Every structure is written in C-alpha cells, then in structure tokens.
Amino acid sequence: MCPMGRSPLCPPKPAEEKAQLLQNSEYQERMVESTFLYLTLDLPTAPLYKDEKEQLIIPQVPLFSILAKFNGSTEKEYKTYKENFLKRFQLTRLPPYLIFCIKRFTKNNFFVEKNPTIVNFPITNVDLREYLSEEVQAAHAHTTYDLIANIVHDGKPSEGSYRIHVLHHGTGKWYELQDLQVTDILPQMITLSEAYIQIWKRREDDETNQQGA
C-alpha cells in the first residue's frame, strides 16, 4: 500500500487522477445538445493479420461494437494542435430514418488511406433502445430499425468504385445498382460488403418484416 503522503514511486490511479483533474476549471465537464444529419461510426485500426499461408486477413467488427460510441459512457479522445479533450455521445432522439457513415477514409498530409474492416450487421431488427437514457427511453415506443439502403466502396481510395444496395419495399427484395446495371442480390451478400453509408428505417408496430433476413 502507498503511504498517505503519496510518493513519486506510487502514482495516482487513473480514476483518482481523473477525479483530481475534474476539480480544475479547465477540466470541468459540460453538456452540449446538437442536431445531426448522420452518425459517424469509427472503425478500429485495421491490423494486417496473416494466416498460415501468409495471406492477408481482413479484420471484422460487429456493428454494435462501433455503435457503442453513442452509449453515453464510451469516451473518445480528440486532439488538436492546441489541446486534447474527451467526448461522450448519447442519443436523445430517434428519428424515423437514421444514416450511418462508417468512417473508412482518413487523410494525412500526403495521401488518403482506407480501412478495409468488414462491419458485421444484421439486415433487420437493430434495436437502439440501449443508446438512450432511461428518461428518453420512456418517450420512445419504437426503437427498432431495418436497413433499406447500403452504399459500398470497393477498391483503393483513389481508384475505387461504388455500389448501392436498395430494398424494394413492395416486394421485400434487395437489388444492387452499379452504373446502369441493376441485379438481384441476396440479403446475406450485403453483409459481406465494405459498407460505407447506410440508411435505416424505424419500424412501427403496424409494419411487417418483408425482408426475410
């Protein structure tokens, strides 16, 4: 155990150090409410794994892991040339439609890099209730969303191309659009793509699931 007069060889624990910093005015927490057009989902840094045949393995991450950014407790660090600060995000309202932008591209002084991590996501029944505070949950009877559109980026950042997956609401069938070509696609194939932008529709009680996924 450390003595009451803490020595340099016994540094404060992270929780204790954070509590001390919060006593200073520059470290005081403040809450800001802002509207959003879309939610940016951050991908973990993509390591280059190799299997026994020295083939590159593309990492994968569950959708709910990157949605944890909005659970109200996960902290994200932001750095500028002047200061560093932490932010926590929590949803205070669930609109009829949600747009997810999966942050695949990062730009430095020389070039743009792309993160190829595959996001594993269900096509239907994505419940966002846990990302609302208890008070806000009471005001939201419907918190479940179904995917209705998925934009994919293939290839390198400077040479890649885009594909769009769209749900036909009347038939419940999915279609893939690229340039002037339109083809059927199975819902299972959509989840294997490098999703970039997604549009989700909130499900109401009187709606039935026609997607079959």
Side-chain angles (χ1 to χ4, degrees):
M1 294 181 62
C2 296
M4 292 297 292
R6 190 182 296 275
S7 69
L9 298 179
C10 186
K13 296 180 181 180
E16 295 176 352
E17 184 178 15
K18 181 178 178 180
Q20 293 177 2
L21 290 174
L22 290 176
Q23 300 302 317
N24 301 329
S25 59
E26 61 180 313
Y27 291 102
Q28 289 295 314
E29 293 186 350
R30 63 190 183 94
M31 182 180 298
V32 177
E33 184 171 338
S34 61
T35 57
F36 63 88
L37 176 62
Y38 56 85
L39 298 179
T40 301
L41 305 183
D42 303 312
L43 291 174
T45 302
L48 294 178
Y49 296 112
K50 290 187 177 181
D51 61 14
E52 63 276 5
K53 297 181 180 180
E54 293 298 308
Q55 298 294 318
L56 293 179
I57 299 176
I58 298 177
Q60 302 182 25
V61 62
L63 173 65
F64 291 102
S65 293
I66 56 178
L67 274 174
K69 172 183 178 180
F70 299 98
N71 62 13
S73 59
T74 300
E75 294 181 334
K76 178 176 173 58
E77 183 178 9
Y78 291 83
K79 297 182 178 181
T80 68
Y81 68 96
K82 288 185 177 181
E83 58 182 352
N84 296 349
F85 52 92
L86 297 175
K87 284 186 177 182
R88 293 195 302 269
F89 301 91
Q90 187 165 36
L91 301 178
T92 58
R93 179 174 174 268
L94 292 179
Y97 295 89
L98 273 175
I99 301 175
F100 293 165
C101 180
I102 300 172
K103 192 176 181 182
R104 293 198 173 275
F105 302 98
T106 54
K107 185 178 181 180
N108 57 34
N109 295 330
F110 303 100
F111 52 86
V112 176
E113 293 181 297
K114 179 185 175 183
N115 188 327
T117 299
I118 297 296
V119 178
N120 301 131
F121 57 90
I123 298 294
T124 61
N125 299 320
V126 172
D127 193 350
L128 300 183
R129 178 170 294 276
E130 64 179 278
Y131 303 101
L132 303 172
S133 65
E134 293 184 2
E135 306 83 62
V136 178
Q137 286 181 15
H140 284 74
H142 310 298
T143 58
T144 302
Y145 286 78
D146 297 327
L147 185 69
I148 61 172
N150 182 58
I151 300 176
V152 180
H153 183 272
D154 298 313
K156 299 179 181 180
S158 59
E159 304 172 2
S161 60
Y162 291 92
R163 291 178 288 133
I164 303 176
H165 301 133
V166 178
L167 172 69
H168 186 275
H169 185 72
T171 61
K173 292 184 178 180
W174 281 92
Y175 295 91
E176 180 177 280
L177 290 71
Q178 186 171 26
D179 296 330
L180 298 179
Q181 296 182 342
V182 180
T183 57
D184 298 350
I185 186 171
L186 295 174
Q188 299 90 324
M189 300 302 296
I190 297 174
T191 62
L192 302 177
S193 62
E194 295 182 17
Y196 179 38
I197 296 175
Q198 297 182 327
I199 301 177
W200 296 79
K201 182 180 184 296
R202 190 176 64 198
R203 183 183 297 181
E204 307 297 338
D205 282 345
D206 57 349
E207 291 181 341
T208 59
N209 179 16
Q210 298 180 340
Q211 300 185 45

